[in-house]
Amino acid sequence: MKVLIAMDSFKGNLSSMEASEAVARGIRRGCPRVETRLLPIADGGDGTVEAFVTALHGQKKSGTVRDPLGNPVTAGWGLMPDKSAVIELAAASGLTLVPLHRRNPLRTSTFGTGQQILAALDEGCRTIVLGLGGSATNDGGMGILAALGARFLDSAGQELPPVGASLAHVQELDVSGLDPRLNSTEIVLACDVRNPLCGAQGAAMVYGRQKGASQKSAALLDAGLERFAGVIRRATGKDVLHMPGGGAAGGAAAGLAGLVNAAPVSGIELMVRVLNLDRELRRADAVFTGEGRIDSQTAQGKVIHGLAAHAKEAGVPLIALVGCIRGPVAPLMSMGL
């Protein structure tokens, strides 16, 4: 019997590889003759770099950048053999980097992730996969873009700090200082959600609370993102307001798609292609996966959702081991879980 083990990370507790290895130990303990194949997986959040590096035999790089509050932090990323790069926004701008009592998406920034992109450009990378899960931020990608050379000006022409609170005051974009290497660089935005930028299902209203926003500040951020989308439309002609997935990472997907050569894709579907998952499924008799929690967002593009569809098509049973369940699992069961 052949068992494929494709675990997602358990955020803040176990990496994808650690979770996969734990499951393999348990299976071998109960069924010593079972052949196990470990395939750590991710959907754009924690574990994305590890999954790419493992699958493609890349190497890990690291450097000191700014964390969401502007403090120095060592953050890693992946350099692939073909000179493409894989970066997790969570490594420099993630929620786990901010103590609970200091979480406030009005004050956090993705600037450190932009510094990581600069490091990848310095390595000669012209294709960059940016995983957008696990952010502590709601700045519309202003921090990333500021690190890359953009400036955001208010009505008096003064430069604004690239944090969530500034979204409501942006009047003009100055992209003349953007790193010229971006013109020949493709940025693939690996998203684990399909939420739009604004509205009841938008970045601030759905995810703001877990990042430390009150109901009032979430509403301010939502209005700021809508304003920011209008500024982008006037400056570039691109309409990112209703773009599927534009709300990923506090609107970073929309901001990057509007101002640089970046486009959102499903993180799990990207991983399916990279790992040649359909081939692996055809070789397996059963598949184990799992993550920290099944909830209402699981069916919106998370690992378990993506694996369920592919496992069902391959006719292979899929078993999920999770930390907890918050919400109905019937839709996932009907998909193949």
Side-chain angles (χ1 to χ4, degrees):
M1 183 178 184
K2 297 181 179 179
V3 175
L4 179 65
I5 303 171
M7 301 294 288
D8 196 0
S9 64
F10 285 56
K11 189 178 298 182
N13 295 282
L14 291 170
S15 70
S16 303
M17 179 59 81
E18 289 170 334
S20 296
E21 289 173 340
V23 173
R25 287 195 298 271
I27 290 174
R28 288 194 294 266
R29 189 174 299 161
C31 306
R33 296 183 180 179
V34 167
E35 179 183 335
T36 56
R37 166 87 163 107
L38 275 61
L39 205 67
I41 198 165
D43 51 23
D46 298 284
T48 298
V49 167
E50 180 180 52
F52 268 83
V53 168
T54 301
L56 300 180
H57 307 289
Q59 59 177 301
K60 291 185 177 180
K61 310 284 285 187
S62 66
T64 301
V65 296
R66 296 186 196 176
D67 73 5
L69 296 173
N71 302 311
V73 64
T74 300
W77 56 282
L79 179 63
M80 301 302 112
D82 64 356
K83 296 293 287 185
S84 62
V86 182
I87 297 170
E88 292 174 17
L89 185 140
S93 310
L95 192 61
T96 58
L97 298 174
V98 184
L100 189 62
H101 69 281
R102 299 194 65 191
R103 292 179 182 177
N104 181 355
L106 289 169
R107 301 300 174 198
T108 51
S109 175
T110 54
F111 192 91
T113 300
Q115 291 176 299
Q116 288 188 295
I117 293 174
L118 286 176
L121 293 174
D122 290 342
E123 287 280 354
C125 302
R126 294 299 177 266
T127 299
I128 298 173
V129 175
L130 177 59
L132 294 182
S135 73
T137 54
N138 200 112
D139 67 356
M142 288 175 62
I144 295 172
L145 292 161
L148 296 174
R151 299 170 67 239
F152 304 93
L153 310 177
D154 63 16
S155 57
Q158 298 298 307
E159 186 171 359
L160 293 162
V163 296
S166 295
L167 290 165
H169 305 288
V170 177
Q171 183 68 30
E172 184 180 349
L173 306 174
D174 178 5
V175 295
S176 61
L178 275 176
D179 194 306
R181 294 173 294 182
L182 292 168
N183 295 327
S184 57
T185 301
E186 177 189 18
I187 300 178
V188 179
L189 305 173
C191 302
D192 60 353
V193 299
R194 298 282 291 169
N195 301 72
L197 184 62
C198 305
Q201 296 301 312
M205 303 309 290
V206 173
Y207 301 105
R209 185 61 61 88
Q210 71 186 49
K211 300 177 184 183
S214 64
Q215 186 173 352
K216 180 180 179 180
S217 60
L220 289 172
L221 288 164
D222 185 65
L225 287 170
E226 184 172 6
R227 177 188 179 90
F228 190 48
V231 174
I232 290 174
R233 186 176 63 251
R234 291 194 301 272
T236 68
K238 295 181 181 179
D239 186 0
V240 299
L241 186 60
H242 304 292
M243 182 180 75
L256 290 169
L259 294 177
V260 297
N261 181 26
V265 302
S266 164
I268 182 59
E269 291 303 321
L270 176 64
M271 191 62 65
V272 163
R273 295 195 299 273
V274 168
L275 299 179
N276 207 341
L277 185 66
D278 290 325
R279 180 190 65 189
E280 298 290 345
L281 288 169
R282 288 192 296 270
R283 296 174 175 175
D285 297 299
V287 185
F288 280 82
T289 188
E291 60 183 4
R293 181 171 73 181
I294 286 180
D295 57 23
S296 60
Q297 292 299 313
T298 302
Q300 303 301 315
K302 300 287 188 178
V303 161
I304 293 176
H305 171 260
L307 279 180
H310 286 269
K312 184 175 183 179
E313 184 176 347
V316 182
L318 176 70
I319 302 98
L321 304 173
V322 300
C324 63
I325 298 172
R326 294 289 184 269
V329 296
L332 290 168
M333 298 291 282
S334 67
M335 290 189 64
L337 177 63

Coordinates of all heavy atoms in Angstrom, one line a residue, residues 79-161:
L79 N 15.5 30.4 -3.4 CA 16.1 30.6 -4.8 C 16.1 29.3 -5.5 O 16.7 28.3 -5.0 CB 17.5 31.2 -4.6 CG 18.2 31.4 -5.9 CD1 17.5 32.5 -6.8 CD2 19.7 31.8 -5.7
M80 N 15.3 29.2 -6.6 CA 15.2 28.0 -7.3 C 16.4 27.8 -8.4 O 17.0 28.8 -8.7 CB 13.9 27.9 -8.1 CG 12.7 28.1 -7.2 SD 12.5 26.8 -5.9 CE 12.8 27.8 -4.4
P81 N 16.6 26.6 -8.8 CA 17.7 26.4 -9.8 C 17.6 27.2 -11.1 O 18.6 27.5 -11.7 CB 17.6 24.9 -10.1 CG 17.0 24.3 -8.8 CD 16.0 25.3 -8.4
D82 N 16.3 27.5 -11.5 CA 16.2 28.3 -12.7 C 16.2 29.8 -12.5 O 15.9 30.6 -13.3 CB 14.8 28.0 -13.4 CG 13.6 28.3 -12.5 OD1 13.8 28.8 -11.4 OD2 12.5 28.2 -13.0
K83 N 16.7 30.2 -11.3 CA 16.9 31.6 -10.9 C 15.5 32.3 -10.6 O 15.5 33.5 -10.6 CB 17.7 32.4 -11.9 CG 19.1 31.9 -12.0 CD 19.9 32.2 -10.8 CE 20.3 33.6 -10.6 NZ 21.2 33.9 -9.4
S84 N 14.5 31.6 -10.4 CA 13.2 32.2 -10.0 C 13.3 32.2 -8.4 O 14.1 31.5 -7.8 CB 12.0 31.4 -10.5 OG 12.0 30.1 -10.0
A85 N 12.4 33.0 -7.9 CA 12.4 33.2 -6.4 C 11.0 32.9 -5.9 O 10.0 33.1 -6.5 CB 12.8 34.6 -6.0
V86 N 11.0 32.4 -4.6 CA 9.7 32.1 -3.9 C 9.8 32.9 -2.6 O 10.8 32.6 -1.8 CB 9.5 30.7 -3.7 CG1 8.1 30.5 -3.0 CG2 9.5 29.9 -5.1
I87 N 8.9 33.7 -2.3 CA 8.9 34.5 -1.1 C 7.5 34.4 -0.4 O 6.5 34.4 -1.1 CB 9.1 36.0 -1.4 CG1 10.5 36.2 -2.1 CG2 9.0 36.9 -0.2 CD1 10.7 37.6 -2.6
E88 N 7.5 34.2 0.9 CA 6.3 34.2 1.7 C 6.1 35.6 2.3 O 7.0 36.0 3.0 CB 6.3 33.2 2.8 CG 6.3 31.7 2.3 CD 6.5 30.8 3.5 OE1 6.4 31.2 4.7 OE2 6.9 29.6 3.3
L89 N 5.0 36.2 2.0 CA 4.8 37.5 2.7 C 4.8 37.3 4.2 O 5.3 38.2 5.0 CB 3.5 38.1 2.2 CG 3.1 39.5 2.7 CD1 2.5 40.3 1.6 CD2 2.2 39.5 4.0
A90 N 4.4 36.2 4.7 CA 4.3 35.9 6.1 C 5.7 35.9 6.8 O 5.9 36.2 8.0 CB 3.7 34.6 6.4
A91 N 6.8 35.7 6.0 CA 8.1 35.6 6.6 C 8.6 37.0 7.2 O 9.2 37.0 8.2 CB 9.1 35.1 5.5
A92 N 8.3 38.1 6.5 CA 8.7 39.4 6.9 C 7.5 40.2 7.4 O 7.7 41.1 8.2 CB 9.3 40.2 5.8
S93 N 6.3 39.9 7.0 CA 5.1 40.7 7.3 C 4.0 39.9 7.9 O 2.8 40.2 7.7 CB 4.6 41.4 6.0 OG 5.7 42.0 5.3
G94 N 4.3 38.8 8.6 CA 3.3 37.9 9.0 C 2.7 38.2 10.4 O 3.3 38.8 11.2
L95 N 1.5 37.6 10.6 CA 0.8 37.9 11.9 C 1.6 37.3 13.1 O 1.5 37.9 14.2 CB -0.6 37.2 11.8 CG -1.6 37.5 12.8 CD1 -1.9 39.0 12.8 CD2 -2.9 36.7 12.6
T96 N 2.3 36.2 12.9 CA 3.0 35.6 14.0 C 4.2 36.4 14.5 O 4.7 36.2 15.6 CB 3.5 34.2 13.7 OG1 4.3 34.2 12.6 CG2 2.3 33.3 13.4
L97 N 4.6 37.4 13.7 CA 5.7 38.3 14.1 C 5.2 39.4 15.0 O 6.1 40.1 15.6 CB 6.3 38.9 12.8 CG 6.9 37.9 11.9 CD1 7.4 38.7 10.6 CD2 8.1 37.2 12.5
V98 N 3.9 39.6 15.2 CA 3.4 40.7 16.0 C 2.8 40.2 17.3 O 1.8 39.4 17.2 CB 2.4 41.6 15.2 CG1 2.0 42.8 16.0 CG2 3.0 42.0 13.9
P99 N 3.2 40.6 18.4 CA 2.6 40.2 19.7 C 1.1 40.6 19.7 O 0.7 41.6 19.1 CB 3.4 41.0 20.8 CG 4.7 41.3 20.2 CD 4.4 41.5 18.7
L100 N 0.3 39.7 20.3 CA -1.1 39.9 20.3 C -1.5 41.3 20.7 O -2.4 42.0 20.1 CB -1.8 38.9 21.2 CG -3.3 38.8 21.2 CD1 -3.8 38.4 19.8 CD2 -3.8 37.8 22.2
H101 N -0.9 41.9 21.8 CA -1.3 43.2 22.3 C -0.9 44.3 21.4 O -1.3 45.5 21.6 CB -0.7 43.4 23.7 CG 0.7 43.6 23.7 ND1 1.6 42.5 23.6 CD2 1.5 44.7 23.9 CE1 2.9 42.9 23.7 NE2 2.8 44.2 23.8
R102 N 0.0 44.1 20.3 CA 0.4 45.1 19.5 C -0.2 45.0 18.0 O 0.2 45.8 17.1 CB 1.9 45.1 19.4 CG 2.6 45.4 20.7 CD 4.1 45.7 20.5 NE 4.3 46.9 19.8 CZ 5.5 47.4 19.3 NH1 6.5 46.6 19.5 NH2 5.6 48.5 18.7
R103 N -1.1 44.1 17.8 CA -1.6 43.9 16.5 C -2.6 45.1 16.2 O -3.6 45.3 16.9 CB -2.4 42.6 16.4 CG -1.4 41.4 16.5 CD -2.1 40.0 16.4 NE -1.1 39.0 16.5 CZ -1.3 37.7 16.6 NH1 -2.6 37.3 16.5 NH2 -0.4 36.8 16.6
N104 N -2.3 45.7 15.1 CA -3.1 46.9 14.7 C -2.9 47.1 13.2 O -1.8 47.7 12.9 CB -2.8 48.1 15.5 CG -3.6 49.3 15.1 OD1 -4.4 49.3 14.2 ND2 -3.5 50.4 15.8
P105 N -3.7 46.7 12.3 CA -3.5 46.8 10.9 C -3.5 48.3 10.4 O -3.1 48.5 9.2 CB -4.6 46.0 10.2 CG -5.7 46.0 11.2 CD -5.0 46.0 12.6
L106 N -3.8 49.2 11.2 CA -3.7 50.6 10.9 C -2.2 51.0 10.9 O -1.8 52.0 10.2 CB -4.4 51.5 11.8 CG -6.0 51.5 11.7 CD1 -6.6 52.3 12.9 CD2 -6.4 52.1 10.4
R107 N -1.4 50.3 11.6 CA 0.0 50.7 11.9 C 1.0 49.7 11.3 O 2.2 50.0 11.3 CB 0.3 50.8 13.4 CG -0.6 51.8 14.1 CD -0.4 53.2 13.5 NE -1.3 54.1 14.1 CZ -1.6 55.3 13.6 NH1 -1.0 55.7 12.4 NH2 -2.4 56.2 14.1
T108 N 0.6 48.6 10.8 CA 1.6 47.6 10.2 C 1.8 47.8 8.7 O 1.0 48.4 8.0 CB 1.1 46.2 10.5 OG1 -0.3 46.0 10.0 CG2 1.1 45.8 11.9
S109 N 2.9 47.3 8.3 CA 3.4 47.5 6.9 C 4.0 46.3 6.3 O 4.6 45.5 7.0 CB 4.4 48.7 6.9 OG 4.9 48.9 5.5
T110 N 3.9 46.2 5.0 CA 4.5 45.1 4.2 C 5.9 45.5 3.7 O 6.4 44.8 2.8 CB 3.6 44.6 3.0 OG1 3.3 45.8 2.2 CG2 2.3 44.0 3.5
F111 N 6.5 46.5 4.2 CA 7.8 47.0 3.7 C 8.8 45.9 3.6 O 9.6 45.9 2.7 CB 8.2 48.2 4.5 CG 9.4 49.0 3.9 CD1 9.1 50.1 3.1 CD2 10.7 48.6 4.2 CE1 10.2 50.8 2.6 CE2 11.7 49.4 3.6 CZ 11.5 50.5 2.8
G112 N 8.9 45.1 4.7 CA 9.9 44.1 4.7 C 9.8 43.1 3.6 O 10.8 42.6 3.1
T113 N 8.6 42.8 3.2 CA 8.4 41.9 2.0 C 9.0 42.5 0.7 O 9.6 41.9 -0.1 CB 6.9 41.5 1.8 OG1 6.5 40.9 3.0 CG2 6.7 40.6 0.6
G114 N 8.8 43.8 0.6 CA 9.4 44.5 -0.5 C 10.9 44.5 -0.5 O 11.5 44.3 -1.6
Q115 N 11.5 44.5 0.7 CA 12.9 44.4 0.8 C 13.4 43.0 0.3 O 14.4 42.8 -0.3 CB 13.4 44.6 2.2 CG 13.2 46.1 2.7 CD 13.6 46.2 4.2 OE1 12.9 45.7 5.0 NE2 14.6 47.0 4.4
Q116 N 12.6 42.0 0.6 CA 12.9 40.6 0.2 C 12.8 40.5 -1.4 O 13.7 39.9 -2.0 CB 11.9 39.6 0.8 CG 12.2 39.4 2.2 CD 11.3 38.2 2.7 OE1 10.1 38.3 2.7 NE2 12.0 37.1 3.1
I117 N 11.9 41.2 -2.0 CA 11.8 41.2 -3.4 C 13.0 41.9 -4.0 O 13.6 41.4 -5.0 CB 10.5 42.0 -3.9 CG1 9.3 41.1 -3.5 CG2 10.5 42.2 -5.4 CD1 7.9 41.8 -3.8
L118 N 13.5 43.0 -3.4 CA 14.7 43.6 -3.8 C 15.9 42.7 -3.8 O 16.7 42.6 -4.7 CB 15.0 44.9 -3.0 CG 14.1 46.1 -3.2 CD1 14.5 47.2 -2.2 CD2 14.3 46.6 -4.7
A119 N 16.0 41.9 -2.7 CA 17.1 40.9 -2.6 C 17.0 39.9 -3.7 O 18.0 39.5 -4.3 CB 17.0 40.2 -1.2
A120 N 15.8 39.5 -4.1 CA 15.6 38.5 -5.2 C 16.0 39.1 -6.5 O 16.7 38.5 -7.3 CB 14.2 38.0 -5.2
L121 N 15.7 40.4 -6.7 CA 16.1 41.1 -7.9 C 17.6 41.2 -8.0 O 18.2 41.0 -9.0 CB 15.5 42.5 -7.9 CG 14.0 42.6 -8.1 CD1 13.5 44.0 -8.0 CD2 13.5 42.0 -9.5
D122 N 18.3 41.4 -6.8 CA 19.7 41.5 -6.8 C 20.4 40.2 -7.1 O 21.5 40.1 -7.6 CB 20.2 41.9 -5.4 CG 19.9 43.4 -5.1 OD1 19.6 44.2 -6.0 OD2 19.9 43.8 -3.9
E123 N 19.7 39.1 -6.9 CA 20.2 37.7 -7.2 C 19.9 37.4 -8.7 O 20.3 36.3 -9.2 CB 19.5 36.7 -6.4 CG 19.9 36.6 -4.9 CD 21.2 35.9 -4.8 OE1 21.8 35.3 -5.7 OE2 21.8 35.9 -3.6
G124 N 19.3 38.3 -9.4 CA 19.1 38.1 -10.9 C 17.7 37.4 -11.2 O 17.5 37.1 -12.3
C125 N 16.9 37.3 -10.2 CA 15.6 36.7 -10.4 C 14.6 37.6 -11.2 O 14.5 38.8 -10.8 CB 14.9 36.3 -9.0 SG 15.9 35.2 -8.0
R126 N 14.0 37.0 -12.2 CA 13.0 37.8 -13.0 C 11.7 37.2 -13.0 O 10.8 37.6 -13.7 CB 13.6 38.0 -14.4 CG 14.8 38.9 -14.4 CD 14.6 40.3 -13.9 NE 15.7 41.2 -13.8 CZ 16.5 41.3 -12.8 NH1 16.3 40.6 -11.6 NH2 17.6 42.1 -12.8
T127 N 11.5 36.1 -12.3 CA 10.2 35.5 -12.0 C 10.2 35.3 -10.5 O 11.1 34.6 -9.9 CB 10.0 34.1 -12.7 OG1 10.0 34.3 -14.1 CG2 8.6 33.6 -12.3
I128 N 9.2 35.9 -9.8 CA 9.1 35.8 -8.4 C 7.7 35.4 -8.0 O 6.7 36.0 -8.4 CB 9.3 37.2 -7.7 CG1 10.8 37.7 -8.0 CG2 9.1 37.2 -6.2 CD1 11.1 39.1 -7.6
V129 N 7.6 34.2 -7.3 CA 6.4 33.8 -6.7 C 6.2 34.4 -5.3 O 7.1 34.1 -4.5 CB 6.3 32.2 -6.7 CG1 5.0 31.8 -6.0 CG2 6.4 31.7 -8.1
L130 N 5.2 35.1 -5.1 CA 5.0 35.7 -3.8 C 3.7 35.1 -3.1 O 2.6 35.4 -3.6 CB 4.8 37.2 -3.9 CG 4.5 38.0 -2.7 CD1 5.6 37.9 -1.6 CD2 4.3 39.5 -3.0
G131 N 3.9 34.3 -2.1 CA 2.8 33.8 -1.3 C 2.2 34.8 -0.4 O 2.9 35.4 0.4
L132 N 0.9 34.9 -0.5 CA 0.2 36.1 0.2 C -0.6 35.7 1.5 O -1.3 36.5 2.0 CB -0.7 36.8 -0.8 CG -0.1 37.5 -2.0 CD1 -1.1 38.2 -2.8 CD2 1.0 38.5 -1.5
G133 N -0.4 34.5 2.0 CA -1.1 34.1 3.2 C -0.4 34.6 4.5 O 0.8 34.8 4.5
G134 N -1.2 34.7 5.5 CA -0.7 34.9 6.9 C -0.2 36.3 7.2 O 0.6 36.5 8.1
S135 N -0.7 37.3 6.6 CA -0.2 38.7 6.8 C -0.8 39.3 8.1 O -1.9 39.0 8.6 CB -0.6 39.6 5.6 OG -2.0 39.9 5.6
A136 N 0.0 40.2 8.6 CA -0.4 41.0 9.8 C -0.9 42.4 9.3 O -1.1 43.3 10.1 CB 0.8 41.2 10.7
T137 N -1.0 42.6 8.0 CA -1.1 43.9 7.4 C -2.4 44.1 6.7 O -3.1 43.2 6.3 CB 0.0 44.1 6.4 OG1 0.0 43.0 5.5 CG2 1.4 44.1 7.2
N138 N -2.7 45.4 6.4 CA -3.9 45.8 5.6 C -3.5 47.1 5.0 O -4.2 48.1 5.0 CB -5.1 46.0 6.5 CG -6.4 45.9 5.7 OD1 -7.2 45.0 5.8 ND2 -6.7 46.9 4.9
D139 N -2.4 47.1 4.3 CA -1.9 48.4 3.7 C -2.0 48.4 2.2 O -1.5 49.3 1.5 CB -0.4 48.6 4.1 CG 0.5 47.6 3.5 OD1 0.1 46.6 2.8 OD2 1.8 47.7 3.7
G140 N -2.8 47.5 1.6 CA -2.9 47.5 0.1 C -1.7 47.3 -0.6 O -1.6 47.6 -1.8
G141 N -0.6 46.7 0.0 CA 0.7 46.6 -0.6 C 1.5 47.8 -0.7 O 2.6 47.8 -1.3
M142 N 1.1 48.9 0.0 CA 1.9 50.1 0.0 C 3.3 49.9 0.5 O 4.2 50.5 -0.1 CB 1.2 51.2 0.8 CG -0.1 51.8 0.2 SD -0.9 52.9 1.4 CE 0.3 54.2 1.6
G143 N 3.4 49.1 1.5 CA 4.8 48.9 2.1 C 5.7 48.2 1.1 O 6.8 48.6 0.9
I144 N 5.2 47.1 0.4 CA 6.0 46.5 -0.6 C 6.4 47.5 -1.7 O 7.6 47.6 -2.1 CB 5.2 45.3 -1.3 CG1 5.0 44.2 -0.2 CG2 6.0 44.7 -2.5 CD1 4.0 43.1 -0.7
L145 N 5.4 48.2 -2.2 CA 5.7 49.2 -3.3 C 6.6 50.3 -2.8 O 7.4 50.8 -3.6 CB 4.3 49.7 -3.8 CG 3.5 48.7 -4.5 CD1 2.0 49.1 -4.5 CD2 4.0 48.4 -5.9
A146 N 6.5 50.7 -1.6 CA 7.4 51.8 -1.1 C 8.9 51.3 -1.1 O 9.8 52.0 -1.4 CB 7.0 52.2 0.3
A147 N 9.0 50.0 -0.6 CA 10.4 49.4 -0.6 C 10.9 49.3 -2.0 O 12.2 49.4 -2.2 CB 10.4 48.1 0.0
L148 N 10.1 49.2 -3.0 CA 10.5 49.1 -4.4 C 10.6 50.4 -5.1 O 11.0 50.5 -6.3 CB 9.5 48.2 -5.2 CG 9.4 46.7 -4.7 CD1 8.3 46.0 -5.4 CD2 10.7 46.0 -4.9
G149 N 10.3 51.5 -4.3 CA 10.6 52.8 -4.9 C 9.4 53.7 -5.1 O 9.6 54.9 -5.5
A150 N 8.2 53.3 -4.9 CA 7.0 54.1 -5.1 C 6.8 55.0 -3.9 O 7.3 54.8 -2.8 CB 5.8 53.2 -5.2
R151 N 6.1 56.2 -4.1 CA 5.8 57.1 -3.1 C 4.3 57.4 -3.1 O 3.7 57.4 -4.2 CB 6.6 58.4 -3.3 CG 8.1 58.2 -3.2 CD 8.8 59.5 -3.7 NE 8.7 60.6 -2.8 CZ 8.2 61.8 -3.1 NH1 7.7 62.0 -4.4 NH2 8.0 62.8 -2.2
F152 N 3.7 57.6 -2.0 CA 2.3 57.8 -1.8 C 2.1 59.2 -1.2 O 2.6 59.4 -0.1 CB 1.7 56.7 -1.0 CG 1.9 55.4 -1.6 CD1 3.0 54.6 -1.1 CD2 1.2 54.8 -2.6 CE1 3.3 53.4 -1.7 CE2 1.4 53.6 -3.2 CZ 2.5 52.9 -2.7
L153 N 1.4 60.1 -1.9 CA 1.3 61.5 -1.5 C -0.1 61.9 -1.0 O -1.1 61.4 -1.6 CB 1.8 62.4 -2.6 CG 3.1 62.0 -3.3 CD1 3.4 63.0 -4.4 CD2 4.3 62.1 -2.2
D154 N -0.2 62.7 0.0 CA -1.5 63.2 0.4 C -1.9 64.5 -0.4 O -1.2 64.8 -1.4 CB -1.5 63.5 1.9 CG -0.6 64.6 2.3 OD1 -0.1 65.4 1.4 OD2 -0.3 64.7 3.5
S155 N -3.0 65.1 -0.1 CA -3.5 66.3 -0.9 C -2.5 67.5 -0.8 O -2.6 68.3 -1.7 CB -4.9 66.7 -0.3 OG -4.8 67.0 1.1
A156 N -1.6 67.5 0.2 CA -0.7 68.6 0.3 C 0.6 68.2 -0.4 O 1.6 69.0 -0.3 CB -0.4 68.9 1.7
G157 N 0.7 67.1 -1.0 CA 1.9 66.6 -1.7 C 3.0 66.0 -0.7 O 4.1 65.8 -1.1
Q158 N 2.6 65.8 0.5 CA 3.5 65.2 1.5 C 3.5 63.7 1.4 O 2.4 63.1 1.2 CB 3.1 65.6 2.9 CG 3.1 67.1 3.1 CD 4.6 67.7 3.0 OE1 5.5 67.2 3.6 NE2 4.7 68.7 2.1
E159 N 4.7 63.1 1.6 CA 4.7 61.6 1.5 C 4.2 61.0 2.7 O 4.4 61.4 3.8 CB 6.2 61.2 1.3 CG 6.4 59.7 1.0 CD 7.8 59.3 0.6 OE1 8.6 60.2 0.5 OE2 8.0 58.1 0.5
L160 N 3.4 59.9 2.5 CA 2.7 59.2 3.6 C 3.5 57.9 3.9 O 4.1 57.3 3.1 CB 1.3 58.8 3.1 CG 0.3 59.9 2.9 CD1 -0.9 59.4 2.0 CD2 -0.2 60.5 4.2
P161 N 3.5 57.6 5.2 CA 4.1 56.3 5.6 C 3.3 55.1 5.0 O 2.0 55.2 5.0 CB 4.0 56.3 7.1 CG 2.9 57.2 7.5 CD 2.9 58.3 6.4

